């Protein structure tokens, strides 16, 4: 920074009504302490690092190689030029740092704000980061991150992210995030993300929710033996929509496909009980590869066909609209065909795979006599057996033929 550049800087600064003192470090003047409440331009024109201590309510503009210690509160330190060799130590609270690149030691400071920073930053609770890029950040609880990219962040509980991309996050419980994309993320229990795109998420405890899940994996990382590295304990929620192809592993999942992607796919490896998957629109599909018992539900207003494939547990399929159902290896699956105004064309691909499989017919007002009539009028073909439940609803049972006919005991009416 030459004299003319400094002069212009002073002119712009003074136009705001502030008076700036100029402090030149170097030579015999290798360190300095600022007077509280004053504004400074601090220069080090030499190549030897100097030291500066900032106190209370200072404004300091830093030019050159200067190690800064902020010992007071409510000060603002702005860097004209900073490198990875720069060092900043903060022991006071509620200070603001701009345009810094280097190492920050502020682990015991609270409420500091960092704007347009990179490097390695160790900060305390209630820290705020605006525009961190290519940074390694370790911060305390209840910190905030706005428009951070290409960074590695470890933070405590109750922290908040606005937009984050191309990096890693390891955050505590009750983390809140708006948009996370192309990142590797670990969140504590009861956290929430509005949109997760092209990312890998590991949950540490129950209650984490994602609004829109797009082409992402949840607790799907495996080790060298192919075993999942996370148990995925508790319940994971997708509350808004599933878009693209997504994978979720865990104890329990509650997910809604929504209407954003009519061809969305969900692959599950769920090992606990209580999971519930709600279809949305079009030809969406879900496949369970685990042992947990799931409930799959097609949306009543869907004009497409929802496809659901069960795993090794006893699954329940609730067909409010057209649905392709595969029970899988479970020993006792329930296929619930539910009457709707629009009707449905349903298919059960493996009804005879287990003797414990049941077809439940709900809302049709059937009796044993009318059910018997439906079975008597079934159409048997090389594909299987077609049941016409009413004028709008039919069920195709693949591989059910005259050699293994249906019985009244295969049904439940309600």
């Amino acid at each position: 920074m030459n004299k003319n550049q400094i002069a212009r800087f002073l002119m712009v600064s003074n136009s705001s009504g502030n008076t700036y003192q100029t402090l030149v470090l170097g030579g015999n003047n290798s360190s300095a302490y600022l007077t509280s409440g004053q504004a400074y331009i601090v220069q080090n024109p030499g190549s030897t690092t100097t030291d500066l201590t900032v106190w209370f309510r200072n404004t300091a503009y830093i030019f050159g190689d200067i190690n800064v210690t902020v010992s007071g509160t409510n000060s603002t330190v702005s860097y004209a030029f900073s490198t990875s060799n720069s060092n900043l130590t903060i022991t006071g609270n509620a200070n603001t740092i701009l345009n810094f690149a280097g190492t920050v030691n502020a682990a015991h400071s609270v409420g500091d704000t960092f704007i347009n920073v990179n490097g390695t930053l160790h900060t305390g609770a209630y820290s705020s980061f605006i525009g961190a890029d290519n940074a390694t950040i370790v911060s305390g609880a209840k910190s905030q991150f706005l428009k951070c990219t290409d960074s590695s962040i470890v933070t405590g509980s109750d922290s908040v992210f606005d937009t984050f991309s191309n990096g890693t996050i390891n955050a505590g419980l009750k983390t809140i995030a708006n948009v996370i994309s192309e990142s590797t993320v670990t969140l504590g229990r009861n956290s929430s993300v509005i949109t997760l795109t092209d990312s890998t998420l590991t949950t540490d405890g129950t209650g984490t929710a994602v609004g829109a899940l797009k082409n992402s994996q949840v607790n799907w990382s495996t080790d060298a033996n192919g075993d999942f590295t996370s148990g995925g304990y508790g319940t994971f929620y997708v509350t808004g929509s599933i878009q693209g192809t997504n994978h979720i592993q865990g104890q329990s999942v509650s997910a809604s496909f929504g209407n954003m992607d009519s061809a969305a796919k969900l692959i599950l490896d769920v090992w606990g009980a209580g999971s519930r998957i709600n279809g949305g629109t079009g030809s969406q599909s879900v496949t369970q590869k685990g042992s947990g018992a799931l409930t799959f539900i097609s949306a009543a207003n869907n004009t497409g066909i929802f496809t659901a494939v069960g795993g090794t547990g006893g699954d329940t399929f609730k067909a409010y609209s057209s649905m392709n159902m595969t029970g899988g290896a479970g020993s006792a699956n329930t296929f619930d065909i539910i009457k709707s105004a629009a009707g449905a064309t349903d298919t059960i691909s493996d009804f005879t795979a287990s003797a414990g499989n049941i077809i439940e017919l709900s809302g049709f007002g059937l009796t044993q006599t009318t059910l018997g009539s439906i079975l008597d009028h079934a159409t048997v073909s090389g594909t299987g057996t077609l049941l016409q439940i009413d004028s709008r609803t039919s069920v195709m049972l693949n591989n059910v033929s005259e050699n293994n006919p249906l019985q009244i005991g295969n049904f439940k009416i309600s």
Side-chain angles (χ1 to χ4, degrees):
M1 182 68 66
N2 60 40
K3 291 182 178 179
N4 291 331
Q5 290 173 308
I6 294 171
R8 286 199 299 271
F9 188 84
L10 279 168
M11 188 181 302
V12 172
S13 300
N14 285 333
S15 69
S16 65
N18 297 321
T19 300
Y20 291 88
Q21 303 178 55
T22 299
L23 176 63
V24 179
L25 299 177
N28 294 328
N29 189 23
S30 61
S31 63
Y33 294 81
L34 301 187
T35 301
S36 293
Q38 302 298 309
Y40 293 85
I41 293 177
V42 184
Q43 310 168 49
N44 176 16
S47 58
T48 302
T49 303
T50 57
D51 298 309
L52 176 70
T53 299
V54 177
W55 290 103
F56 297 89
R57 302 179 307 282
N58 286 130
T59 298
Y61 294 92
I62 308 300
F63 297 85
D65 192 2
I66 303 173
N67 289 333
V68 177
T69 299
V70 183
S71 297
T73 61
N74 298 297
S75 289
T76 298
V77 180
S78 181
Y79 287 78
F81 180 75
S82 179
T83 71
S84 60
N85 294 323
S86 300
N87 289 288
L88 171 64
T89 300
I90 305 175
T91 58
N93 302 319
N95 296 288
T96 300
I97 310 299
L98 296 90
N99 306 319
F100 179 80
T103 301
V104 174
N105 297 292
H108 301 293
S109 181
V110 175
D112 295 313
T113 298
F114 301 87
I115 302 172
N116 296 330
V117 296
N118 58 61
T120 301
L121 301 90
H122 295 265
T123 69
Y126 296 95
S127 296
S128 296
F129 299 86
I130 303 171
D133 186 20
N134 285 301
T136 299
I137 298 171
V138 179
S139 70
K142 299 184 178 180
S143 293
Q144 300 185 44
F145 303 86
L146 174 66
K147 295 182 179 178
C148 298
T149 61
D150 299 294
S151 295
S152 174
I153 297 175
V154 177
T155 186
S157 63
D158 297 286
S159 292
V160 177
F161 292 81
D162 176 32
T163 56
F164 183 87
S165 63
N166 299 303
T168 62
I169 295 173
N170 192 325
L173 57 87
K174 297 182 180 179
T175 298
I176 297 174
N178 181 17
V179 177
I180 296 176
S181 61
E182 299 181 270
S183 297
T184 300
V185 183
T186 300
L187 299 177
R189 67 181 184 274
N190 297 324
S191 295
S192 62
V193 181
I194 293 177
T195 303
L196 184 72
T197 303
D198 297 318
S199 295
T200 298
L201 170 63
T202 300
T203 62
D204 184 12
T206 191
T208 293
V210 172
L213 187 68
K214 303 180 181 181
N215 293 311
S216 294
Q217 298 182 342
V218 180
N219 298 319
W220 203 262
S221 298
T222 57
D223 59 21
N225 296 321
D227 298 321
F228 289 111
T229 56
S230 169
Y233 294 100
T235 301
F236 176 78
Y237 300 89
V238 181
T239 58
S241 67
I242 295 170
Q243 301 173 48
T245 300
N246 299 271
H247 298 73
I248 304 174
Q249 186 268 150
Q251 181 177 3
S252 176
V253 175
S254 176
S256 296
F257 270 83
N259 300 322
M260 297 301 294
D261 183 356
S262 62
K265 296 180 180 180
L266 178 61
I267 295 91
L268 300 172
D269 196 310
V270 176
W271 50 268
S275 292
R276 187 181 180 95
I277 311 299
N278 292 280
T281 188
S283 56
Q284 298 164 338
S285 65
V286 54
T287 301
Q288 153 74 327
K289 296 179 177 295
S291 60
L294 274 70
T295 298
F296 304 98
I297 305 169
S298 64
N301 58 351
N302 184 21
T303 58
I305 300 177
F306 182 50
T307 298
V309 179
T312 59
D315 299 308
T316 299
F317 301 80
K318 291 185 171 293
Y320 286 91
S321 59
S322 297
M323 194 170 180
N324 289 336
M325 297 165 275
T326 301
S331 59
N333 299 298
T334 298
F335 302 92
D336 190 1
I337 313 301
I338 301 168
K339 184 176 182 178
S340 65
T345 302
D346 299 312
T347 300
I348 302 173
S349 65
D350 63 343
F351 182 71
T352 59
S354 170
N357 287 344
I358 291 290
I359 297 175
E360 184 171 356
L361 301 173
S362 300
F364 294 95
L366 299 176
T367 64
Q368 293 293 323
T369 299
T370 54
L371 174 59
S373 178
I374 291 172
L375 296 180
D376 289 340
H377 291 85
T379 301
V380 180
S381 66
T383 304
T385 297
L386 178 66
L387 302 178
Q388 193 68 45
I389 309 303
D390 66 7
S391 61
R392 295 186 179 89
T393 303
S394 65
V395 183
M396 182 68 187
L397 292 92
N398 291 344
N399 302 315
V400 175
S401 64
E402 294 177 349
N403 295 326
N404 53 348
L406 293 170
Q407 305 293 330
I408 291 289
N410 296 134
F411 292 86
K412 176 182 177 182
I413 53 178
S414 60

